[in-house]
Amino acid sequence: MPDIDLDMPMQDAGQPDPIVPIVVSSNPDAGEARLEAREASRYLLAKSLFDCREYDRCAAVFLPFNVGREPVSVATPVKSSKGKGKETGPSVLATPIPPRNTLPQLSQKSLFLALYAKYMSGEKRKDEESEMLLGPADGGATVNKELVELGRILDAWFTDRAGKGLERKNQGWLEYLYGVVLIKGKSKDDGQKWLMKSVQRNPNNWSAWVEMNEALDSYEQLVEIAKDVPESVISSIFFVYASQELLQTYEDLEKPLTGLEGIFPNSLFLKTQRAMLLYHSKAHEQAESTFSECLKIDPHRIDYLHHYSDILYVHDAKSKLAFLAQAMTATDKFRPETCYAVGNYYSSRSEHEKAVMYFRRALTLDRNFLPAWTLMGHEYMEMKNTHAAIESYRRVVDINRKDHKAWYGLGQTYEILGMNLYALFYFQRAASLRPHDPKMWQAIGSCYDKIDKPHQSIKAYKQALKAGMTSSYDAGSSFGSGASGGEASGGLSPEILYEIALMYEKTNNKEQAAAYMELTMESEGDDDFREDGTGATKTTSQARMWIAQHELHRGNLARALELANEMAQDGYEPEDTKALIRELRTRMDSERQQSLG
């Protein structure tokens, strides 16, 4: 056996490989199949290096080191050769030099692997340069430095393909990468167009669908995109997935989701989407049941289980949350979802420092894991560190402007700082994303009250009432029994009714204020109003006190005394109640004596 020189230099990337049988490739395009067969051995080497996260070495297998380094030509005005550089007429722009394709002849499969490796190399360096979380270098200033070069290479490649009339033979992988590069480079609209081209040529590339969803800003935009994508099973899955990410209602998506589950009855991904829809619609008990079912089917599947930990946290189910965190840790303790669940567990025990530690650990593993940024902001608020909380929330909205929780968190933080105009802006952004959540409108109403705009506050509070009546906001509500025709499926909130009454009082509209105070009292429960009343609460007791004093000023002492006695039974504000009863009895005795005298 001859000796092999291990120090022999690697074959130059531009030199053709020995021809191997074409059967190595299954590509239906004969030209691409021939290239893939010729590159088979080098592709396996590059793929192994990519799997080992040696991205630069992977790219170097196919690409020379100086590829894409040519300067970009800039169009300049043509000036007269005479005189002092004055223009002889209108400014004429020189014809820009089109980008030149300097890539070696490679199959699309190998070229995609090499360029995607360069992209991942840039992402890796960006994370390394960012250093510590929330540090001076951790922010928007740190970018992927490979984006510009990749944009030039891909632009030149597509221009060359278009010039040769080979666009129809594109396979969609490089269109996907170009779309990602453009979106990362803040060219969202152009990136969406290239992602659309990618899914049209290769609809089975789920990564392209996911990136397209990340670039969506509204449900209306999703509807427009759905008109252009090829109609298929995977496009239907994308529509359900994107609608869920855009917080659409369960009722609107139940039918298409049920149809997909008829095709894939054992799909955990679809079961998870159903659980997420229930979770976003505040049907926490049903969502918990669905997540629990998924966990029983595949106890080692960690995807989306961090949302399950949120539900357990809301229900204060510490034992279940501890079991979930332990099970996820036993499967893979270095997944950001696992660290997130553990952080939720410590937060439920009010150990906020430990919770922050685990949320930071999740973000160290994946800086784009946005739920951890949001909850870390909540924990910093509990620790009274408003600056760190604002930075955490801002990191979320900088990446995903559709996250209503982060916008709402920013509003709460600025409200605590007394900066009510800023808080109002952030609450309005949250309400635009979550218009059926009464909590958003209630926060807006509170801000308008604080900046002394009672009329706008009344409008916001009434919108909160409307949202509470028409949405399945109550966690225990059933989606199959939603009310329609304007009837209250969740009932009227006594707190919101009370705030509306106070706003009318500020505008000196005593009649409307009294009417809403009466509604606040009736929300306790009445056969003529609601069967599932709230019972006596501090808010309803305050409303009863207001009406009693109002009747006192009107001279209706009997009604005022009746209300005061009811307040005494409620047990709220006993001293004020006793003082009111004494005053009423004194007035009534005085009037009785005057009538007798």
Side-chain angles (χ1 to χ4, degrees):
M1 180 177 180
D3 294 333
I4 299 177
D5 185 3
L6 297 178
D7 295 327
M8 183 172 58
M10 184 181 294
Q11 183 181 4
D12 183 72
Q15 296 295 325
D17 293 339
I19 300 296
V20 295
I22 200 169
V23 293
V24 174
S25 172
S26 59
N27 197 310
D29 186 328
E32 287 291 322
R34 189 176 298 107
L35 290 172
E36 289 179 12
R38 189 180 68 183
E39 300 157 358
S41 57
R42 284 197 295 158
Y43 180 84
L44 291 174
L45 171 62
K47 187 63 170 62
S48 299
L49 293 171
F50 185 91
D51 293 339
C52 293
R53 300 189 179 184
E54 297 191 46
Y55 301 121
D56 289 322
R57 290 185 67 192
C58 172
V61 172
F62 292 111
L63 300 178
F65 291 102
N66 60 347
V67 67
R69 301 289 182 182
E70 296 182 359
V72 179
S73 62
V74 180
T76 56
V78 178
K79 297 182 179 180
S80 172
S81 58
K82 297 180 181 180
K84 295 183 180 180
K86 294 183 179 179
E87 296 181 9
T88 58
S91 177
V92 180
L93 295 180
T95 303
I97 302 173
R100 186 163 61 91
N101 183 16
T102 59
L103 294 170
Q105 188 179 15
L106 295 170
S107 66
Q108 295 181 49
K109 180 179 177 180
S110 299
L111 181 59
F112 170 77
L113 178 62
L115 294 179
Y116 191 70
K118 289 179 72 67
Y119 168 76
M120 291 301 297
S121 175
E123 288 292 300
K124 182 181 177 182
R125 289 195 186 92
K126 183 185 76 170
D127 289 342
E128 292 170 351
E129 292 171 2
S130 298
E131 298 176 354
M132 63 177 293
L133 287 169
L134 298 178
D138 183 25
T142 307
V143 297
N144 185 338
K145 296 178 181 178
E146 297 289 343
L147 293 179
V148 175
E149 181 183 349
L150 286 170
R152 291 172 180 170
I153 293 172
L154 288 165
D155 186 24
W157 190 84
F158 283 115
T159 302
D160 182 62
R161 296 279 292 185
K164 295 178 180 178
L166 299 174
E167 285 181 301
R168 291 185 175 275
K169 294 187 177 182
N170 293 350
Q171 298 174 357
W173 300 104
L174 292 166
E175 286 85 350
Y176 156 70
L177 180 58
Y178 197 22
V180 172
V181 169
L182 289 171
I183 291 174
K184 291 284 186 179
K186 309 301 181 183
S187 298
K188 183 182 289 187
D189 292 338
D190 291 336
Q192 279 276 34
K193 292 177 183 177
W194 282 97
L195 289 173
M196 180 67 69
K197 292 181 180 180
S198 175
V199 298
Q200 287 172 345
R201 298 188 182 281
N202 184 8
N204 294 325
N205 180 12
W206 181 246
S207 297
W209 294 103
V210 172
E211 291 293 339
M212 192 182 298
N213 168 70
E214 295 296 327
L216 291 174
D217 294 323
S218 64
Y219 181 73
E220 290 73 19
Q221 190 177 358
L222 172 62
V223 173
E224 289 298 318
I225 286 178
K227 298 176 182 177
D228 300 326
V229 298
E231 188 172 348
S232 61
V233 172
I234 197 166
S235 65
S236 301
I237 295 175
F238 165 73
F239 183 80
V240 170
Y241 167 74
S243 299
Q244 178 268 121
E245 292 289 319
L246 290 167
L247 308 178
Q248 296 304 298
T249 60
Y250 180 89
E251 291 87 346
D252 294 337
L253 295 171
E254 183 178 15
K255 185 176 180 180
L257 181 57
T258 302
L260 288 171
E261 287 178 331
I263 302 173
F264 306 105
N266 299 320
S267 171
L268 289 179
F269 175 79
L270 293 177
K271 290 182 184 297
T272 303
Q273 296 307 303
R274 182 178 292 277
M276 290 300 300
L277 286 169
L278 294 167
Y279 168 66
H280 291 318
S281 299
K282 304 294 182 182
H284 290 160
E285 292 182 359
Q286 297 178 22
E288 179 185 351
S289 175
T290 307
F291 272 122
S292 178
E293 180 184 353
C294 292
L295 189 63
K296 290 178 181 177
I297 295 173
D298 188 353
H300 300 296
R301 183 176 182 267
I302 293 179
D303 297 340
Y304 288 95
L305 286 184
H306 57 290
H307 293 298
Y308 186 24
S309 72
D310 286 336
I311 296 172
L312 297 177
Y313 178 90
V314 170
H315 285 181
D316 198 27
K318 292 186 177 66
S319 58
K320 289 184 177 181
L321 184 55
F323 171 79
L324 177 65
Q326 188 177 17
M328 295 173 70
T329 302
T331 299
D332 188 351
K333 64 180 179 180
F334 295 112
R335 281 280 294 271
E337 293 91 341
T338 300
C339 298
Y340 180 96
V342 176
N344 249 341
Y345 169 71
Y346 282 115
S347 178
S348 68
R349 293 167 54 93
S350 298
E351 298 182 35
H352 302 299
E353 292 81 4
K354 283 189 176 180
V356 167
M357 180 182 72
Y358 275 94
F359 291 138
R360 291 178 70 94
R361 187 174 295 179
L363 293 168
T364 301
L365 294 167
D366 182 1
R367 287 177 186 264
N368 293 327
F369 189 63
L370 301 184
W373 282 111
T374 303
L375 286 201
M376 191 164 71
H378 294 347
E379 295 304 313
Y380 278 129
M381 284 297 299
E382 293 289 341
M383 297 164 64
K384 310 302 181 186
N385 189 345
T386 54
H387 175 72
I390 289 173
E391 287 300 315
S392 299
Y393 292 136
R394 285 196 185 280
R395 195 61 54 85
V396 180
V397 298
D398 286 344
I399 298 173
N400 180 15
R401 305 188 73 81
K402 305 188 295 288
D403 194 315
H404 70 283
K405 293 181 180 178
W407 289 113
Y408 186 80
L410 280 169
Q412 283 186 311
T413 308
Y414 280 106
E415 188 178 29
I416 290 172
L417 295 174
M419 304 172 72
N420 294 309
L421 287 174
Y422 284 91
L424 177 61
F425 169 77
Y426 293 121
F427 284 140
Q428 286 173 334
R429 291 299 300 265
S432 67
L433 294 166
R434 189 81 167 167
H436 301 298
D437 194 335
K439 182 173 65 174
M440 307 298 170
W441 296 105
Q442 193 171 355
I444 292 174
S446 176
C447 281
Y448 274 127
D449 178 22
K450 291 175 181 176
I451 61 177
D452 198 24
K453 291 188 177 182
H455 293 289
Q456 287 86 342
S457 180
I458 289 171
K459 291 180 181 178
Y461 281 129
K462 287 185 176 180
Q463 187 65 35
L465 283 179
K466 182 180 178 181
M469 293 171 65
T470 59
S471 68
S472 301
Y473 183 71
D474 183 16
S477 63
S478 172
F479 289 99
S481 59
S484 60
E487 295 184 8
S489 62
L492 297 175
S493 167
E495 289 77 15
I496 299 176
L497 292 168
Y498 181 72
E499 292 296 335
I500 294 175
L502 293 180
M503 292 303 101
Y504 275 119
E505 184 182 21
K506 279 190 175 183
T507 61
N508 294 319
N509 191 338
K510 296 288 186 179
E511 183 179 351
Q512 284 292 329
Y516 274 92
M517 287 296 183
E518 293 282 359
L519 285 174
T520 304
M521 281 200 315
E522 290 174 1
S523 66
E524 290 181 350
D526 190 283
D527 293 339
D528 299 329
F529 187 75
R530 289 181 61 200
E531 295 180 358
D532 55 339
T534 61
T537 64
K538 184 177 181 180
T539 301
T540 58
S541 182
Q542 289 173 335
R544 187 173 279 104
M545 170 68 79
W546 190 96
I547 295 174
Q549 292 175 341
H550 179 66
E551 296 292 345
L552 172 62
H553 295 149
R554 293 175 59 189
N556 191 350
L557 302 182
R559 174 82 196 286
L561 183 61
E562 178 186 353
L563 293 171
N565 288 328
E566 291 177 2
M567 289 173 57
Q569 296 176 2
D570 294 343
Y572 294 100
E573 302 179 6
E575 298 301 325
D576 294 339
T577 303
K578 290 177 182 177
L580 179 61
I581 292 175
R582 284 196 298 268
E583 182 181 357
L584 286 167
R585 287 176 175 171
T586 302
R587 288 275 300 271
M588 295 176 73
D589 290 342
S590 176
E591 289 184 1
R592 188 179 300 109
Q593 291 175 0
Q594 290 178 1
S595 63
L596 292 175

